[in-house]
PDB file of all heavy atoms in Angstrom:
ATOM      1  N   ASN K 114       7.530  13.108  31.933  1.00  0.00           N
ATOM      2  CA  ASN K 114       7.695  14.469  32.429  1.00  0.00           C
ATOM      3  C   ASN K 114       8.907  15.145  31.808  1.00  0.00           C
ATOM      4  O   ASN K 114       8.808  16.246  31.290  1.00  0.00           O
ATOM      5  CB  ASN K 114       7.839  14.429  33.954  1.00  0.00           C
ATOM      6  CG  ASN K 114       8.112  15.788  34.558  1.00  0.00           C
ATOM      7  OD1 ASN K 114       7.789  16.808  33.968  1.00  0.00           O
ATOM      8  ND2 ASN K 114       8.704  15.813  35.737  1.00  0.00           N
ATOM      9  N   LEU K 146       0.970  13.474  32.944  1.00  0.00           N
ATOM     10  CA  LEU K 146       1.432  14.404  33.976  1.00  0.00           C
ATOM     11  C   LEU K 146       0.334  15.455  34.209  1.00  0.00           C
ATOM     12  O   LEU K 146      -0.461  15.354  35.111  1.00  0.00           O
ATOM     13  CB  LEU K 146       2.742  15.047  33.544  1.00  0.00           C
ATOM     14  CG  LEU K 146       3.428  15.943  34.588  1.00  0.00           C
ATOM     15  CD1 LEU K 146       3.883  15.110  35.776  1.00  0.00           C
ATOM     16  CD2 LEU K 146       4.599  16.690  33.976  1.00  0.00           C
ATOM     17  N   PHE K 147       0.261  16.469  33.379  1.00  0.00           N
ATOM     18  CA  PHE K 147      -0.825  17.444  33.368  1.00  0.00           C
ATOM     19  C   PHE K 147      -0.603  18.370  32.179  1.00  0.00           C
ATOM     20  O   PHE K 147       0.509  18.481  31.659  1.00  0.00           O
ATOM     21  CB  PHE K 147      -0.896  18.257  34.673  1.00  0.00           C
ATOM     22  CG  PHE K 147       0.369  19.012  35.020  1.00  0.00           C
ATOM     23  CD1 PHE K 147       0.632  20.268  34.470  1.00  0.00           C
ATOM     24  CD2 PHE K 147       1.292  18.484  35.901  1.00  0.00           C
ATOM     25  CE1 PHE K 147       1.788  20.968  34.791  1.00  0.00           C
ATOM     26  CE2 PHE K 147       2.458  19.161  36.226  1.00  0.00           C
ATOM     27  CZ  PHE K 147       2.706  20.415  35.670  1.00  0.00           C
ATOM     28  N   GLN K 149      -0.282  22.132  31.170  1.00  0.00           N
ATOM     29  CA  GLN K 149       0.079  23.365  31.870  1.00  0.00           C
ATOM     30  C   GLN K 149      -0.549  24.567  31.166  1.00  0.00           C
ATOM     31  O   GLN K 149      -0.419  24.729  29.943  1.00  0.00           O
ATOM     32  CB  GLN K 149       1.602  23.519  31.882  1.00  0.00           C
ATOM     33  CG  GLN K 149       2.121  24.781  32.564  1.00  0.00           C
ATOM     34  CD  GLN K 149       3.591  25.006  32.234  1.00  0.00           C
ATOM     35  OE1 GLN K 149       3.979  25.051  31.066  1.00  0.00           O
ATOM     36  NE2 GLN K 149       4.411  25.135  33.270  1.00  0.00           N
ATOM     37  N   GLN K 156       1.208  29.067  37.074  1.00  0.00           N
ATOM     38  CA  GLN K 156       0.942  27.755  36.495  1.00  0.00           C
ATOM     39  C   GLN K 156      -0.349  27.184  37.060  1.00  0.00           C
ATOM     40  O   GLN K 156      -0.557  27.147  38.269  1.00  0.00           O
ATOM     41  CB  GLN K 156       2.087  26.784  36.796  1.00  0.00           C
ATOM     42  CG  GLN K 156       1.784  25.337  36.367  1.00  0.00           C
ATOM     43  CD  GLN K 156       2.922  24.376  36.630  1.00  0.00           C
ATOM     44  OE1 GLN K 156       3.962  24.474  36.006  1.00  0.00           O
ATOM     45  NE2 GLN K 156       2.734  23.457  37.562  1.00  0.00           N
ATOM     46  N   VAL K 157      -1.193  26.708  36.153  1.00  0.00           N
ATOM     47  CA  VAL K 157      -2.404  25.985  36.529  1.00  0.00           C
ATOM     48  C   VAL K 157      -2.348  24.632  35.845  1.00  0.00           C
ATOM     49  O   VAL K 157      -1.985  24.544  34.657  1.00  0.00           O
ATOM     50  CB  VAL K 157      -3.676  26.757  36.106  1.00  0.00           C
ATOM     51  CG1 VAL K 157      -4.922  25.937  36.379  1.00  0.00           C
ATOM     52  CG2 VAL K 157      -3.738  28.098  36.824  1.00  0.00           C
ATOM     53  N   GLU K 158      -2.675  23.569  36.591  1.00  0.00           N
ATOM     54  CA  GLU K 158      -2.598  22.223  36.031  1.00  0.00           C
ATOM     55  C   GLU K 158      -3.990  21.737  35.636  1.00  0.00           C
ATOM     56  O   GLU K 158      -4.928  21.819  36.435  1.00  0.00           O
ATOM     57  CB  GLU K 158      -1.994  21.242  37.045  1.00  0.00           C
ATOM     58  CG  GLU K 158      -0.602  21.620  37.509  1.00  0.00           C
ATOM     59  CD  GLU K 158      -0.591  22.463  38.772  1.00  0.00           C
ATOM     60  OE1 GLU K 158      -1.570  22.422  39.543  1.00  0.00           O
ATOM     61  OE2 GLU K 158       0.394  23.195  38.983  1.00  0.00           O
ATOM     62  N   LEU K 256       0.416  10.416  36.155  1.00  0.00           N
ATOM     63  CA  LEU K 256       1.841  10.246  36.441  1.00  0.00           C
ATOM     64  C   LEU K 256       2.199  11.105  37.650  1.00  0.00           C
ATOM     65  O   LEU K 256       1.798  12.265  37.731  1.00  0.00           O
ATOM     66  CB  LEU K 256       2.659  10.678  35.220  1.00  0.00           C
ATOM     67  CG  LEU K 256       4.177  10.791  35.388  1.00  0.00           C
ATOM     68  CD1 LEU K 256       4.795   9.427  35.629  1.00  0.00           C
ATOM     69  CD2 LEU K 256       4.807  11.440  34.156  1.00  0.00           C
ATOM     70  N   TYR K 257       2.961  10.540  38.587  1.00  0.00           N
ATOM     71  CA  TYR K 257       3.449  11.253  39.762  1.00  0.00           C
ATOM     72  C   TYR K 257       2.337  11.955  40.544  1.00  0.00           C
ATOM     73  O   TYR K 257       2.275  13.187  40.591  1.00  0.00           O
ATOM     74  CB  TYR K 257       4.524  12.280  39.372  1.00  0.00           C
ATOM     75  CG  TYR K 257       5.758  11.690  38.770  1.00  0.00           C
ATOM     76  CD1 TYR K 257       6.377  12.281  37.674  1.00  0.00           C
ATOM     77  CD2 TYR K 257       6.326  10.517  39.279  1.00  0.00           C
ATOM     78  CE1 TYR K 257       7.520  11.746  37.102  1.00  0.00           C
ATOM     79  CE2 TYR K 257       7.465   9.966  38.717  1.00  0.00           C
ATOM     80  CZ  TYR K 257       8.055  10.582  37.627  1.00  0.00           C
ATOM     81  OH  TYR K 257       9.183  10.049  37.063  1.00  0.00           O
ATOM     82  N   PRO K 258       1.443  11.199  41.177  1.00  0.00           N
ATOM     83  CA  PRO K 258       0.461  11.844  42.058  1.00  0.00           C
ATOM     84  C   PRO K 258       1.168  12.558  43.205  1.00  0.00           C
ATOM     85  O   PRO K 258       2.272  12.189  43.605  1.00  0.00           O
ATOM     86  CB  PRO K 258      -0.374  10.666  42.562  1.00  0.00           C
ATOM     87  CG  PRO K 258       0.480   9.460  42.377  1.00  0.00           C
ATOM     88  CD  PRO K 258       1.338   9.731  41.179  1.00  0.00           C
ATOM     89  N   ASP K 259       0.551  13.585  43.696  1.00  0.00           N
ATOM     90  CA  ASP K 259       1.113  14.381  44.782  1.00  0.00           C
ATOM     91  C   ASP K 259       1.332  13.496  46.009  1.00  0.00           C
ATOM     92  O   ASP K 259       0.397  12.890  46.542  1.00  0.00           O
ATOM     93  CB  ASP K 259       0.137  15.521  45.115  1.00  0.00           C
ATOM     94  CG  ASP K 259       0.655  16.425  46.226  1.00  0.00           C
ATOM     95  OD1 ASP K 259       1.814  16.260  46.642  1.00  0.00           O
ATOM     96  OD2 ASP K 259      -0.119  17.295  46.678  1.00  0.00           O
ATOM     97  N   ASP K 260       2.582  13.411  46.473  1.00  0.00           N
ATOM     98  CA  ASP K 260       2.886  12.532  47.604  1.00  0.00           C
ATOM     99  C   ASP K 260       3.235  13.318  48.866  1.00  0.00           C
ATOM    100  O   ASP K 260       4.008  12.862  49.706  1.00  0.00           O
ATOM    101  CB  ASP K 260       4.004  11.549  47.254  1.00  0.00           C
ATOM    102  CG  ASP K 260       5.321  12.252  46.930  1.00  0.00           C
ATOM    103  OD1 ASP K 260       5.320  13.501  46.862  1.00  0.00           O
ATOM    104  OD2 ASP K 260       6.335  11.563  46.760  1.00  0.00           O
ATOM    105  N   THR K 261       2.646  14.506  49.002  1.00  0.00           N
ATOM    106  CA  THR K 261       2.887  15.287  50.216  1.00  0.00           C
ATOM    107  C   THR K 261       2.025  14.802  51.380  1.00  0.00           C
ATOM    108  O   THR K 261       2.151  15.311  52.486  1.00  0.00           O
ATOM    109  CB  THR K 261       2.608  16.781  49.959  1.00  0.00           C
ATOM    110  OG1 THR K 261       1.277  16.933  49.437  1.00  0.00           O
ATOM    111  CG2 THR K 261       3.608  17.350  48.962  1.00  0.00           C
ATOM    112  N   ARG K 269       1.429   6.342  44.918  1.00  0.00           N
ATOM    113  CA  ARG K 269       2.693   6.242  44.172  1.00  0.00           C
ATOM    114  C   ARG K 269       3.324   4.867  44.347  1.00  0.00           C
ATOM    115  O   ARG K 269       3.840   4.283  43.390  1.00  0.00           O
ATOM    116  CB  ARG K 269       3.670   7.339  44.613  1.00  0.00           C
ATOM    117  CG  ARG K 269       3.327   8.699  44.040  1.00  0.00           C
ATOM    118  CD  ARG K 269       4.408   9.718  44.272  1.00  0.00           C
ATOM    119  NE  ARG K 269       5.600   9.461  43.477  1.00  0.00           N
ATOM    120  CZ  ARG K 269       6.466  10.410  43.121  1.00  0.00           C
ATOM    121  NH1 ARG K 269       6.274  11.648  43.474  1.00  0.00           N
ATOM    122  NH2 ARG K 269       7.519  10.114  42.404  1.00  0.00           N
ATOM    123  N   LYS K 534      13.504  22.702  30.119  1.00  0.00           N
ATOM    124  CA  LYS K 534      13.732  21.518  30.945  1.00  0.00           C
ATOM    125  C   LYS K 534      12.796  21.585  32.140  1.00  0.00           C
ATOM    126  O   LYS K 534      12.145  22.607  32.364  1.00  0.00           O
ATOM    127  CB  LYS K 534      15.188  21.405  31.396  1.00  0.00           C
ATOM    128  CG  LYS K 534      15.730  22.635  32.093  1.00  0.00           C
ATOM    129  CD  LYS K 534      17.202  22.452  32.459  1.00  0.00           C
ATOM    130  CE  LYS K 534      18.091  22.528  31.236  1.00  0.00           C
ATOM    131  NZ  LYS K 534      18.908  21.350  31.057  1.00  0.00           N
ATOM    132  N   ARG K 535      12.734  20.520  32.888  1.00  0.00           N
ATOM    133  CA  ARG K 535      11.918  20.495  34.100  1.00  0.00           C
ATOM    134  C   ARG K 535      12.313  21.651  35.019  1.00  0.00           C
ATOM    135  O   ARG K 535      13.481  21.988  35.137  1.00  0.00           O
ATOM    136  CB  ARG K 535      12.133  19.141  34.790  1.00  0.00           C
ATOM    137  CG  ARG K 535      11.321  18.891  36.024  1.00  0.00           C
ATOM    138  CD  ARG K 535      11.385  17.397  36.377  1.00  0.00           C
ATOM    139  NE  ARG K 535      12.747  16.911  36.492  1.00  0.00           N
ATOM    140  CZ  ARG K 535      13.449  16.893  37.626  1.00  0.00           C
ATOM    141  NH1 ARG K 535      12.912  17.341  38.744  1.00  0.00           N
ATOM    142  NH2 ARG K 535      14.682  16.420  37.663  1.00  0.00           N
ATOM    143  N   LEU K 536      11.328  22.269  35.662  1.00  0.00           N
ATOM    144  CA  LEU K 536      11.596  23.389  36.552  1.00  0.00           C
ATOM    145  C   LEU K 536      11.991  22.850  37.928  1.00  0.00           C
ATOM    146  O   LEU K 536      11.172  22.244  38.633  1.00  0.00           O
ATOM    147  CB  LEU K 536      10.346  24.276  36.662  1.00  0.00           C
ATOM    148  CG  LEU K 536      10.528  25.768  37.026  1.00  0.00           C
ATOM    149  CD1 LEU K 536      11.354  25.991  38.267  1.00  0.00           C
ATOM    150  CD2 LEU K 536      11.064  26.545  35.853  1.00  0.00           C
ATOM    151  N   HIS K 537      13.235  23.036  38.282  1.00  0.00           N
ATOM    152  CA  HIS K 537      13.747  22.622  39.588  1.00  0.00           C
ATOM    153  C   HIS K 537      14.814  23.610  40.016  1.00  0.00           C
ATOM    154  O   HIS K 537      15.542  24.155  39.179  1.00  0.00           O
ATOM    155  CB  HIS K 537      14.337  21.209  39.518  1.00  0.00           C
ATOM    156  CG  HIS K 537      14.553  20.575  40.862  1.00  0.00           C
ATOM    157  ND1 HIS K 537      15.540  20.984  41.720  1.00  0.00           N
ATOM    158  CD2 HIS K 537      13.901  19.566  41.494  1.00  0.00           C
ATOM    159  CE1 HIS K 537      15.499  20.259  42.826  1.00  0.00           C
ATOM    160  NE2 HIS K 537      14.507  19.393  42.721  1.00  0.00           N
ATOM    161  N   ALA K 538      14.923  23.828  41.317  1.00  0.00           N
ATOM    162  CA  ALA K 538      15.863  24.827  41.821  1.00  0.00           C
ATOM    163  C   ALA K 538      17.290  24.544  41.375  1.00  0.00           C
ATOM    164  O   ALA K 538      18.045  25.471  41.056  1.00  0.00           O
ATOM    165  CB  ALA K 538      15.777  24.896  43.345  1.00  0.00           C
ATOM    166  N   GLN K 542      16.900  27.881  36.638  1.00  0.00           N
ATOM    167  CA  GLN K 542      16.211  28.858  35.816  1.00  0.00           C
ATOM    168  C   GLN K 542      16.306  30.241  36.459  1.00  0.00           C
ATOM    169  O   GLN K 542      16.307  31.268  35.766  1.00  0.00           O
ATOM    170  CB  GLN K 542      14.735  28.460  35.644  1.00  0.00           C
ATOM    171  CG  GLN K 542      14.489  27.338  34.654  1.00  0.00           C
ATOM    172  CD  GLN K 542      14.507  25.959  35.250  1.00  0.00           C
ATOM    173  OE1 GLN K 542      14.894  25.773  36.407  1.00  0.00           O
ATOM    174  NE2 GLN K 542      14.074  24.952  34.496  1.00  0.00           N
ATOM    175  N   ALA K 573       8.992  24.853  30.608  1.00  0.00           N
ATOM    176  CA  ALA K 573       9.194  24.024  31.808  1.00  0.00           C
ATOM    177  C   ALA K 573       7.877  23.833  32.523  1.00  0.00           C
ATOM    178  O   ALA K 573       7.039  24.738  32.561  1.00  0.00           O
ATOM    179  CB  ALA K 573      10.197  24.685  32.753  1.00  0.00           C
ATOM    180  N   LYS K 574       7.712  22.662  33.119  1.00  0.00           N
ATOM    181  CA  LYS K 574       6.616  22.416  34.036  1.00  0.00           C
ATOM    182  C   LYS K 574       7.190  22.238  35.444  1.00  0.00           C
ATOM    183  O   LYS K 574       8.272  21.664  35.603  1.00  0.00           O
ATOM    184  CB  LYS K 574       5.844  21.152  33.646  1.00  0.00           C
ATOM    185  CG  LYS K 574       5.073  21.266  32.333  1.00  0.00           C
ATOM    186  CD  LYS K 574       4.312  19.984  32.023  1.00  0.00           C
ATOM    187  CE  LYS K 574       3.516  20.109  30.728  1.00  0.00           C
ATOM    188  NZ  LYS K 574       2.748  18.880  30.418  1.00  0.00           N
ATOM    189  N   ALA K 575       6.456  22.742  36.426  1.00  0.00           N
ATOM    190  CA  ALA K 575       6.814  22.516  37.826  1.00  0.00           C
ATOM    191  C   ALA K 575       5.854  21.488  38.408  1.00  0.00           C
ATOM    192  O   ALA K 575       4.657  21.512  38.118  1.00  0.00           O
ATOM    193  CB  ALA K 575       6.730  23.814  38.616  1.00  0.00           C
ATOM    194  N   SER K 576       6.366  20.578  39.189  1.00  0.00           N
ATOM    195  CA  SER K 576       5.516  19.600  39.862  1.00  0.00           C
ATOM    196  C   SER K 576       4.432  20.335  40.643  1.00  0.00           C
ATOM    197  O   SER K 576       4.702  21.366  41.278  1.00  0.00           O
ATOM    198  CB  SER K 576       6.366  18.748  40.801  1.00  0.00           C
ATOM    199  OG  SER K 576       5.567  17.840  41.521  1.00  0.00           O
ATOM    200  N   PRO K 577       3.188  19.849  40.611  1.00  0.00           N
ATOM    201  CA  PRO K 577       2.082  20.583  41.246  1.00  0.00           C
ATOM    202  C   PRO K 577       2.316  20.950  42.708  1.00  0.00           C
ATOM    203  O   PRO K 577       1.859  21.997  43.161  1.00  0.00           O
ATOM    204  CB  PRO K 577       0.897  19.616  41.088  1.00  0.00           C
ATOM    205  CG  PRO K 577       1.200  18.849  39.852  1.00  0.00           C
ATOM    206  CD  PRO K 577       2.696  18.665  39.872  1.00  0.00           C
ATOM    207  N   GLY K 578       3.031  20.117  43.434  1.00  0.00           N
ATOM    208  CA  GLY K 578       3.271  20.395  44.843  1.00  0.00           C
ATOM    209  C   GLY K 578       4.572  21.138  45.119  1.00  0.00           C
ATOM    210  O   GLY K 578       4.903  21.401  46.279  1.00  0.00           O
ATOM    211  N   TYR K 579       5.295  21.501  44.077  1.00  0.00           N
ATOM    212  CA  TYR K 579       6.603  22.149  44.230  1.00  0.00           C
ATOM    213  C   TYR K 579       6.385  23.664  44.138  1.00  0.00           C
ATOM    214  O   TYR K 579       6.568  24.279  43.101  1.00  0.00           O
ATOM    215  CB  TYR K 579       7.539  21.645  43.135  1.00  0.00           C
ATOM    216  CG  TYR K 579       9.005  21.985  43.288  1.00  0.00           C
ATOM    217  CD1 TYR K 579       9.922  21.529  42.341  1.00  0.00           C
ATOM    218  CD2 TYR K 579       9.496  22.740  44.347  1.00  0.00           C
ATOM    219  CE1 TYR K 579      11.273  21.813  42.443  1.00  0.00           C
ATOM    220  CE2 TYR K 579      10.834  23.048  44.464  1.00  0.00           C
ATOM    221  CZ  TYR K 579      11.723  22.580  43.502  1.00  0.00           C
ATOM    222  OH  TYR K 579      13.063  22.876  43.609  1.00  0.00           O
ATOM    223  N   TYR K 580       6.004  24.258  45.263  1.00  0.00           N
ATOM    224  CA  TYR K 580       5.541  25.645  45.256  1.00  0.00           C
ATOM    225  C   TYR K 580       6.662  26.630  44.966  1.00  0.00           C
ATOM    226  O   TYR K 580       6.432  27.682  44.361  1.00  0.00           O
ATOM    227  CB  TYR K 580       4.846  25.953  46.581  1.00  0.00           C
ATOM    228  CG  TYR K 580       3.616  25.101  46.766  1.00  0.00           C
ATOM    229  CD1 TYR K 580       3.594  24.061  47.695  1.00  0.00           C
ATOM    230  CD2 TYR K 580       2.487  25.289  45.976  1.00  0.00           C
ATOM    231  CE1 TYR K 580       2.478  23.250  47.838  1.00  0.00           C
ATOM    232  CE2 TYR K 580       1.366  24.489  46.109  1.00  0.00           C
ATOM    233  CZ  TYR K 580       1.371  23.466  47.037  1.00  0.00           C
ATOM    234  OH  TYR K 580       0.263  22.659  47.164  1.00  0.00           O
ATOM    235  N   TYR K 581       7.869  26.321  45.377  1.00  0.00           N
ATOM    236  CA  TYR K 581       9.001  27.199  45.081  1.00  0.00           C
ATOM    237  C   TYR K 581       9.193  27.315  43.566  1.00  0.00           C
ATOM    238  O   TYR K 581       9.344  28.413  43.021  1.00  0.00           O
ATOM    239  CB  TYR K 581      10.271  26.652  45.735  1.00  0.00           C
ATOM    240  CG  TYR K 581      11.490  27.533  45.553  1.00  0.00           C
ATOM    241  CD1 TYR K 581      11.784  28.529  46.483  1.00  0.00           C
ATOM    242  CD2 TYR K 581      12.346  27.371  44.467  1.00  0.00           C
ATOM    243  CE1 TYR K 581      12.903  29.347  46.331  1.00  0.00           C
ATOM    244  CE2 TYR K 581      13.458  28.187  44.309  1.00  0.00           C
ATOM    245  CZ  TYR K 581      13.728  29.166  45.231  1.00  0.00           C
ATOM    246  OH  TYR K 581      14.831  29.975  45.072  1.00  0.00           O
ATOM    247  N   ALA K 582       9.170  26.178  42.880  1.00  0.00           N
ATOM    248  CA  ALA K 582       9.348  26.188  41.429  1.00  0.00           C
ATOM    249  C   ALA K 582       8.216  26.960  40.739  1.00  0.00           C
ATOM    250  O   ALA K 582       8.432  27.664  39.747  1.00  0.00           O
ATOM    251  CB  ALA K 582       9.416  24.757  40.904  1.00  0.00           C
ATOM    252  N   LYS K 583       7.012  26.847  41.281  1.00  0.00           N
ATOM    253  CA  LYS K 583       5.879  27.568  40.686  1.00  0.00           C
ATOM    254  C   LYS K 583       6.022  29.079  40.889  1.00  0.00           C
ATOM    255  O   LYS K 583       5.572  29.873  40.046  1.00  0.00           O
ATOM    256  CB  LYS K 583       4.567  27.039  41.266  1.00  0.00           C
ATOM    257  CG  LYS K 583       4.304  25.584  40.849  1.00  0.00           C
ATOM    258  CD  LYS K 583       3.159  24.952  41.593  1.00  0.00           C
ATOM    259  CE  LYS K 583       1.840  25.248  40.954  1.00  0.00           C
ATOM    260  NZ  LYS K 583       0.761  24.383  41.490  1.00  0.00           N
ATOM    261  N   ARG K 584       6.679  29.484  41.957  1.00  0.00           N
ATOM    262  CA  ARG K 584       6.961  30.908  42.144  1.00  0.00           C
ATOM    263  C   ARG K 584       7.978  31.395  41.103  1.00  0.00           C
ATOM    264  O   ARG K 584       7.882  32.541  40.625  1.00  0.00           O
ATOM    265  CB  ARG K 584       7.491  31.165  43.561  1.00  0.00           C
ATOM    266  CG  ARG K 584       6.447  30.960  44.639  1.00  0.00           C
ATOM    267  CD  ARG K 584       7.040  31.111  46.032  1.00  0.00           C
ATOM    268  NE  ARG K 584       6.173  30.541  47.048  1.00  0.00           N
ATOM    269  CZ  ARG K 584       5.197  31.202  47.659  1.00  0.00           C
ATOM    270  NH1 ARG K 584       4.977  32.470  47.361  1.00  0.00           N
ATOM    271  NH2 ARG K 584       4.449  30.604  48.574  1.00  0.00           N
ATOM    272  N   ILE K 586       8.236  30.233  38.098  1.00  0.00           N
ATOM    273  CA  ILE K 586       7.455  30.378  36.865  1.00  0.00           C
ATOM    274  C   ILE K 586       6.734  31.724  36.849  1.00  0.00           C
ATOM    275  O   ILE K 586       6.754  32.451  35.849  1.00  0.00           O
ATOM    276  CB  ILE K 586       6.452  29.215  36.718  1.00  0.00           C
ATOM    277  CG1 ILE K 586       7.179  27.928  36.337  1.00  0.00           C
ATOM    278  CG2 ILE K 586       5.370  29.549  35.684  1.00  0.00           C
ATOM    279  CD1 ILE K 586       6.295  26.705  36.227  1.00  0.00           C
TER     280      ILE K 586
END
Side-chain angles (χ1 to χ4, degrees):
N114 176 23
L146 186 66
F147 58 84
Q149 179 194 54
Q156 173 179 292
V157 174
E158 301 92 23
L256 170 67
Y257 297 138
D259 181 7
D260 62 354
T261 55
R269 284 190 70 155
K534 54 182 73 237
R535 183 166 54 91
L536 205 308
H537 195 288
Q542 283 90 350
K574 292 181 179 181
S576 177
Y579 192 179
Y580 297 108
Y581 183 90
K583 294 170 85 167
R584 291 175 197 272
I586 287 177

